[in-house]
Amino acid sequence: MKLTIIGTGYVGLVTGTCFAEVGHQVICVDNDAAKVKLLKGGGIPIYEPGLEELVKKNAAAGRLSFTESTMEGVQKSDVVFIAVPTPPQSDGSVDLSFIERVARDIAMAMTEYKVIVDKSTVPVKTGDKVAETIRRYCKAKVDFDVVSNPEFLREGFAVGDLMQPDRIVIGVRGQRPVAALIEIYEPFKAPIIVTDINSAELIKHAANSFLALKISYINAIAAICEAAGANVQEVAHGIGLDERIGRRFLNAGIGFGGSCFPKDLSAFIKIAEQIGYDFKLLKEVQIINADQMDRFVKKITDTLWVLKDKTIGVLGLAFKQNTDDIRSSPAIDLCQRLLKEGAKLRVHDPKAMEKAKAVLPNVTYVDDMNAVPDGCDALVIATEWEEFKKLDLDRAHKSLAHPIMFDGRNLFDPAEMEKRGWIYKSIGR
């Protein structure tokens, strides 16, 4: 099918590329001229495992192209996907100005029936507003359908998540656009749920909020484990084997972050408030998440006492492994807190250092993770990169002023670290 994706962020670029990979003809539209130039030249603006190779492959095959022109994208395609940002506002609600602007641009470009698919994460009833906007600005007065098709991509695993999805959700007002969406997704061989558009919009916020709740739950359990002398990993394993619960998202750490969970949680609380429900449960999830970082910083200050003029090594800047995304990253938050206390930082991340330089200008960036501990008073693990498990512990032990590690991601075994002579502080163990 002929498809257009408006927006080439994580969702738009991965979606468009994977659609092209299964044989669709895809135009990706972005109003950022520099980004479009980069993509046309074979580069990509984000790090996502496996994505760059697929972009180059499908662009070379002629199935994937890039343009700044919404007019071109709309007029050359049967189905138009909206995948633009929906950033949070100061009160927790969602800024829908990008969605509204794109809806107007689509409307003014339409000359025949189109299916308009909202893939951005939006509050319930946004589909109604998109439809109203298109009707208002479409001079040709042609027919169209607005569909909600939320994404469930995990950064760092997005290509695999799209190529082998758990489910595909399609929210519609009527049956006319359903056949087109089923045809688009047929190559992915996944269960397709067709529902009303309001339910589809709620599914995304409800899913992300539940996962955030699950993370905060295990972090609360971690605090109890520390007080009781238990091991949160053993507790998580024991409860995770219950198929009603499952083991995923039960890894204690320094809290969730990224561009989705904090934003979607705040948005869902605000959405509920606007329709008359006080979502106290999700407010507590936010509190637990904030408390988790407070507890971790207290571990550091309790052990090192005065942080002023101490040098601390930090491994990890991205909000999670396998991405260069530092938006709402707990690791960045931690670094900023340590800097505020007067500490000096030596930091390393496999992919996120260039982006981090814009928000952490006054730290020392180290290319080799094994060189980070050199001359430091302590070492902190802030992101769960697999390569950090291969850290040369013997070298680190010798190069630190004191063999102190604060493991915010529970990458190492406490008994083994103690045997090696480390002062080792982790989460819930």
Side-chain angles (χ1 to χ4, degrees):
M1 294 189 70
K2 294 180 179 179
L3 311 176
T4 282
I5 315 289
I6 301 179
T8 58
Y10 279 92
V11 174
L13 187 56
V14 173
T15 301
T17 302
C18 291
F19 281 168
E21 175 68 9
V22 298
H24 298 302
Q25 195 75 25
V26 181
I27 300 171
C28 286
V29 179
D30 203 288
N31 62 4
D32 185 334
K35 187 186 285 189
V36 171
K37 183 179 179 182
L38 175 67
L39 288 162
K40 284 183 173 180
I44 62 171
I46 57 174
Y47 173 73
E48 183 66 35
L51 182 61
E52 185 172 2
E53 296 82 356
L54 287 182
V55 169
K56 289 178 178 177
K57 172 187 172 183
N58 286 283
R63 292 187 298 268
L64 181 65
S65 61
F66 304 95
T67 181
E68 295 171 61
S69 173
T70 300
M71 180 78 72
E72 177 188 351
V74 172
Q75 294 188 349
K76 288 185 176 180
S77 298
D78 304 310
V79 182
V80 180
F81 287 80
I82 300 173
V84 296
T86 51
Q89 302 191 102
S90 58
D91 66 350
S93 61
V94 178
D95 179 357
L96 294 173
S97 60
F98 294 101
I99 298 283
E100 194 269 348
R101 191 175 307 139
V102 167
R104 278 192 281 131
D105 291 344
I106 291 170
M108 289 185 283
M110 282 170 48
T111 57
E112 58 184 346
Y113 174 81
K114 302 288 179 184
V115 178
I116 316 300
V117 183
D118 200 344
K119 205 150 191 61
S120 300
T121 300
V122 296
V124 64
K125 296 187 178 296
T126 299
D128 292 342
K129 293 295 185 182
V130 169
E132 181 182 325
T133 300
I134 293 174
R135 277 193 296 270
R136 185 176 297 160
Y137 288 93
C138 182
K139 294 179 181 178
K141 302 301 177 187
V142 294
D143 202 6
F144 64 92
D145 277 294
V146 173
V147 175
S148 175
N149 175 220
E151 53 82 19
F152 302 99
L153 307 181
R154 297 168 298 158
E155 288 185 32
F157 306 92
V159 172
D161 286 347
L162 205 146
M163 297 299 289
Q164 298 174 307
D166 293 328
R167 78 290 201 195
I168 293 153
V169 176
I170 299 169
V172 294
R173 291 281 180 229
Q175 290 302 302
R176 185 176 179 184
V178 173
L181 269 295
I182 288 176
E183 184 176 346
I184 291 169
Y185 282 108
E186 193 278 332
F188 298 97
K189 308 298 182 188
I192 295 178
I193 301 166
V194 179
T195 184
D196 64 274
I197 196 167
N198 289 346
S199 295
E201 289 171 337
L202 275 173
I203 284 169
K204 178 60 188 291
H205 276 115
N208 274 2
S209 295
F210 184 83
L211 294 175
L213 182 153
K214 202 170 178 185
I215 294 168
S216 280
Y217 179 80
I218 201 62
N219 280 335
I221 296 297
I224 294 170
C225 285
E226 288 185 14
N231 186 325
V232 71
Q233 288 181 314
E234 297 296 332
V235 175
H237 180 64
I239 65 176
L241 288 174
D242 187 326
E243 63 181 16
R244 298 168 300 174
I245 296 172
R247 184 62 179 83
R248 295 173 69 187
F249 289 87
L250 286 180
N251 295 314
I254 56 176
F256 58 77
S259 63
C260 291
F261 283 5
K263 173 179 75 75
D264 292 352
L265 196 62
S266 295
F268 204 21
I269 290 169
K270 195 68 178 179
I271 290 164
E273 178 186 306
Q274 289 168 347
I275 58 178
Y277 182 74
D278 184 0
F279 217 144
K280 295 176 183 177
L281 177 62
L282 295 188
K283 291 177 182 177
E284 195 61 34
V285 169
Q286 291 179 315
I287 292 169
I288 293 170
N289 197 53
D291 287 349
Q292 191 68 2
M293 180 62 76
D294 291 341
R295 278 194 292 272
F296 190 66
V297 172
K298 188 174 186 299
K299 281 182 196 288
I300 297 173
T301 54
D302 283 352
T303 305
L304 299 182
W305 192 20
V306 176
L307 297 188
K308 190 170 193 258
D309 294 329
K310 294 270 190 357
T311 301
I312 299 174
V314 180
L315 292 177
L317 296 167
F319 85 94
K320 60 181 285 190
Q321 64 175 326
N322 295 333
T323 182
D324 61 353
D325 195 349
I326 60 167
R327 290 175 291 176
S328 298
S329 170
I332 296 291
D333 180 23
L334 175 63
C335 288
Q336 290 170 334
R337 291 194 189 205
L338 297 176
L339 289 169
K340 191 175 180 180
E341 293 295 322
K344 300 171 184 176
L345 302 183
R346 289 171 56 81
V347 304
H348 170 79
D349 188 281
K351 296 295 178 182
M353 289 199 290
E354 280 305 311
K355 288 187 176 179
K357 288 175 182 176
V359 294
L360 292 175
N362 300 315
V363 306
T364 301
Y365 290 89
V366 183
D367 290 331
D368 179 3
M369 70 173 179
N370 287 307
V372 170
D374 293 353
C376 290
D377 294 281
L379 183 64
V380 174
I381 309 289
T383 308
E384 67 277 22
W385 286 93
E386 277 294 312
E387 43 261 74
F388 292 165
K389 293 179 182 178
K390 300 174 184 175
L391 180 72
D392 187 335
L393 292 172
D394 291 333
R395 178 189 168 180
H397 191 285
K398 292 174 184 175
S399 59
L400 285 162
H402 309 282
I404 302 171
M405 180 187 290
F406 301 96
D407 186 352
R409 298 298 180 178
N410 289 349
L411 297 189
F412 298 102
D413 177 66
E416 178 64 24
M417 293 298 283
E418 186 177 345
K419 192 184 298 182
R420 286 170 170 263
W422 284 85
I423 299 169
Y424 179 75
K425 310 282 185 178
S426 57
I427 305 292
R429 303 185 299 171

